[in-house]
Amino acid sequence: MKKYFVIIISSLSFSHWTLAQQSVVVDSNKYPPLTTFTAQQDQANMMQQLGIKKLRSGPSGNEADPNHANYDENLANPCPELPDALITKNGKKVTTPEQWWNLRRPEIIADFEKEMYGKVPTNAPKVTWTIKVTDNELVGRIPVVAKQIIGHVDNSEYPLINVNINMVLVLPANVKGPVPVLMMFGFPALPSPAQPNPADMEKINIAFKEMMIKSNPEMKEIFERYPAYAPITRLPSAGFFAPPVTGDSAPTEQLLAAGWGYCTLEANSIQADNGAGLTRGVIGLVNKGQARKPEDWGALRAWAWGASKALDYLATEPLVNTKQVGIEGVSRYGKAALVTMAFDQRFAFGLIGSSGKGGTTLQRRVFGEAVESLASSGEFHWMAGNYLKYAAAESSFGSKTGCDLPIDSHELLALCAPRPTFISYGIPEKGDAKWLDQVGSYKATIAAGTVFKLLGAKDLGLSNDYHNEKMPPVLAGLLDGELAWRQHNGGHTDAPNFQFFIPWASKLLKYERVAK
């Protein structure tokens, strides 16, 4: 007996993405059946592929627990020497930019793809972008053009999985373009949807009252008792009475006030943030609903791929300077922003917020979040399957730790060179927990500086002695070069650093706001 799936797809009109939907019947016998795993089952499947019998448990973030994470610096560096970013696998010293681009950088990329983040498959599908909504809005005092944009991922090879990337682009309407744009991993929303004028609002209220009376005749008597009452009213708008933008304003308002645009990209619309979703999303689509192989990409690389596809769209927007598009994210999205920046050289700059392990923090460090944490059933989906090897307690190849990785986070930062890269952290007292290992990220940033300097860019302006350079005090930013560091006195956010990030990036981009 044949099995059929009903796939709901949104139809397109010539002018906009409509809400009308139609059903498409798909003969499921033509395609491999969808695999449905829990996160634990998917992790167990990968362990079996790798010959791993047992993984080490990750530490607890609760310092009162007996298995709490290590926060003793004397125990944090079991293998203190980092791989040298400027020595090739055959031991040759890299002394010229040409050697970096042609020899060493490809080696580092290959190791990251194989052992940590996975590789974007050669048959990654195309994305077709459609503008769903275009709205002229007012954000504080600033007039903007806001667009909700949907990227349909081609699923013709496996129609049982449907992926639509969701993003919102907001551009200032009072500035001469093209303008820089900061792409941010987050939750897209139109910032201040335009409201109907009074005449249109009156028509809406008349139609609404008629609809209410038709559905409930008792409403007629109520409306007659209050003939001037309008059930639907305009929301108050601050408009030009809004306070001026300051360093305490929302980051998006600070960007717009500086003459920038911004784009918010929904990571979960690309790939779910859990192990159970690995047979769905774009990863599942490419694998036709089947489990990953050890070198297949994880969610971080999939999110980065989605950002690259979004950049493809931005290249079609005449008011966007595509040579001045940056990438931003915090926490897991900070990891994704760094991966995006490292692998796609079209991104001109990056703001990497509180990214921890899998981001800027050294893998070799045993401080707070550990390799075992990233290999757990709650986080392994971020990484390639091969990453589980480095948390193996019992396996066909023995036991491995982060010290066995051929690469580390300083080399991921080095892949961003010579483009401006700003590393942001907060403080544990306000919620940017020690778990993130700010010191480990600082050491990686110090070590990455050798590559920035080789390529003619300025690093933090210190030595590259990651053993002995001390992390500067909170609020003492190192912002004089293309590689920047600043620890603010807030929590698990990069918002307090925007007032420093925007002028830093504008200076390096040689961008000045020009009013219309």
Side-chain angles (χ1 to χ4, degrees):
M1 182 178 178
K2 287 188 176 183
K3 294 182 180 179
Y4 294 90
F5 282 77
V6 177
I7 307 297
I8 305 298
I9 62 172
S10 295
S11 63
L12 296 177
S13 72
F14 289 105
S15 60
H16 62 284
W17 184 287
T18 72
L19 295 180
Q21 294 182 325
Q22 61 187 78
S23 299
V24 177
V25 179
V26 176
D27 183 356
S28 64
N29 289 338
K30 294 182 179 180
Y31 306 98
L34 281 162
T35 299
T36 301
F37 279 154
T38 64
Q40 291 79 9
Q41 289 171 332
D42 196 292
Q43 183 193 44
N45 175 275
M46 184 57 66
M47 289 171 63
Q48 184 178 28
Q49 291 186 56
L50 293 168
I52 298 174
K53 295 181 179 179
K54 184 179 179 181
L55 294 171
R56 294 185 300 276
S57 297
S60 169
N62 185 346
E63 293 189 51
D65 289 344
N67 65 330
H68 65 79
N70 173 59
Y71 294 118
D72 183 348
E73 274 294 333
N74 294 319
L75 304 175
N77 299 293
C79 45
E81 295 299 323
L82 301 180
D84 193 327
L86 293 178
I87 294 182
T88 66
K89 286 183 174 294
N90 63 7
K92 184 176 181 179
K93 182 69 176 175
V94 174
T95 58
T96 68
E98 291 74 23
Q99 290 174 325
W100 167 257
W101 293 113
N102 298 328
L103 298 176
R104 185 60 179 142
R105 193 176 193 277
E107 288 181 343
I108 293 173
I109 286 176
D111 280 339
F112 273 117
E113 289 186 329
K114 181 179 179 182
E115 306 297 338
M116 285 191 65
Y117 302 112
K119 188 174 183 178
V120 175
T122 55
N123 63 332
K126 294 181 179 180
V127 179
T128 302
W129 294 96
T130 305
I131 299 171
K132 180 179 179 181
V133 175
T134 299
D135 201 20
N136 293 306
E137 303 183 7
L138 200 63
V139 178
R141 304 182 180 195
I142 304 167
V144 302
V145 177
K147 297 181 181 182
Q148 184 180 6
I149 305 158
I150 305 296
H152 178 66
V153 182
D154 180 10
N155 65 342
S156 57
E157 293 295 315
Y158 193 71
L160 304 186
I161 293 176
N162 204 32
V163 180
N164 292 300
I165 303 173
N166 183 27
M167 72 174 179
V168 166
L169 173 65
V170 180
L171 298 172
N174 60 347
V175 177
K176 289 184 179 179
V179 300
V181 168
L182 183 63
M183 186 184 297
M184 303 182 287
F185 287 107
F187 305 97
L190 295 170
S192 182
Q195 299 181 65
N197 61 38
D200 287 342
M201 188 66 78
E202 183 179 359
K203 293 176 183 177
I204 292 171
N205 271 296
I206 291 171
F208 180 77
K209 286 181 179 182
E210 291 175 350
M211 180 182 66
M212 292 291 289
I213 292 169
K214 185 175 182 181
S215 64
N216 184 354
E218 293 181 2
M219 298 301 296
K220 184 176 186 297
E221 182 181 348
I222 294 175
F223 286 136
E224 286 176 346
R225 285 204 301 268
Y226 308 99
Y229 174 66
I232 302 175
T233 59
R234 286 169 56 92
L235 296 172
S237 176
F240 286 93
F241 295 100
V245 175
T246 70
D248 294 325
S249 300
T252 51
E253 290 189 29
Q254 293 185 53
L255 289 166
L256 292 169
W260 292 38
Y262 68 87
C263 173
T264 310
L265 182 66
E266 183 183 354
N268 280 1
S269 68
I270 304 163
Q271 183 65 42
D273 188 14
N274 57 68
L278 286 171
T279 56
R280 305 295 193 273
V282 70
I283 295 175
L285 176 59
V286 171
N287 289 337
K288 297 185 176 179
Q290 308 308 299
R292 294 186 302 167
K293 297 295 188 291
E295 292 186 24
D296 285 352
W297 49 346
L300 293 178
R301 193 75 198 273
W303 295 340
W305 169 85
S308 293
K309 297 294 109 177
L311 183 56
D312 290 344
Y313 169 79
L314 293 183
T316 69
E317 284 279 354
L319 292 180
V320 174
N321 186 339
T322 51
K323 293 183 178 179
Q324 295 185 343
V325 174
I327 187 72
E328 181 271 349
V330 175
S331 195
R332 66 197 61 197
Y333 297 150
K335 306 179 203 292
L338 181 57
V339 172
T340 302
M341 181 80 172
F343 284 100
D344 191 338
Q345 294 182 67
R346 296 177 302 162
F347 283 92
F349 56 95
L351 172 57
I352 315 302
S354 302
S355 59
K357 216 71 152 194
T360 53
T361 292
L362 292 168
Q363 295 283 320
R364 282 162 170 70
R365 291 261 297 176
V366 180
F367 190 100
E369 190 174 22
V371 167
E372 292 81 3
S373 305
L374 294 188
S376 71
S377 61
E379 299 183 7
F380 79 101
H381 60 278
W382 293 338
M383 318 299 283
N386 270 335
Y387 187 81
L388 294 181
K389 296 185 299 185
Y390 300 95
E394 298 176 21
S395 72
S396 58
F397 51 81
S399 176
K400 288 188 175 185
T401 72
C403 292
D404 296 302
L405 275 163
I407 53 331
D408 215 322
S409 60
H410 65 299
E411 291 169 301
L412 192 65
L413 280 166
L415 294 180
C416 301
R419 294 162 292 155
T421 308
F422 189 119
I423 310 304
S424 168
Y425 274 94
I427 58 175
E429 294 82 356
K430 293 291 184 67
D432 213 36
K434 291 188 294 182
W435 178 260
L436 297 168
D437 189 12
Q438 289 89 340
V439 171
S441 286
Y442 183 71
K443 287 178 176 290
T445 308
I446 286 289
T450 57
V451 177
F452 277 80
K453 289 192 288 191
L454 176 72
L455 300 180
K458 187 176 180 181
D459 62 356
L460 297 185
L462 304 171
S463 77
N464 299 119
D465 183 359
Y466 55 86
H467 292 300
N468 296 309
E469 286 287 0
K470 302 299 182 186
M471 195 167 71
V474 176
L475 305 182
L478 301 173
L479 309 178
D480 292 333
E482 280 81 1
L483 187 58
W485 168 276
R486 189 174 188 274
Q487 187 179 17
H488 59 76
N489 59 358
H492 197 50
T493 173
D494 60 6
N497 270 338
F498 266 80
Q499 61 183 303
F500 301 94
F501 164 74
I502 294 171
W504 169 84
S506 293
K507 179 181 177 181
L508 292 171
L509 295 174
K510 296 181 173 59
Y511 173 73
E512 292 185 9
R513 179 185 181 279
V514 179
K516 281 187 176 178

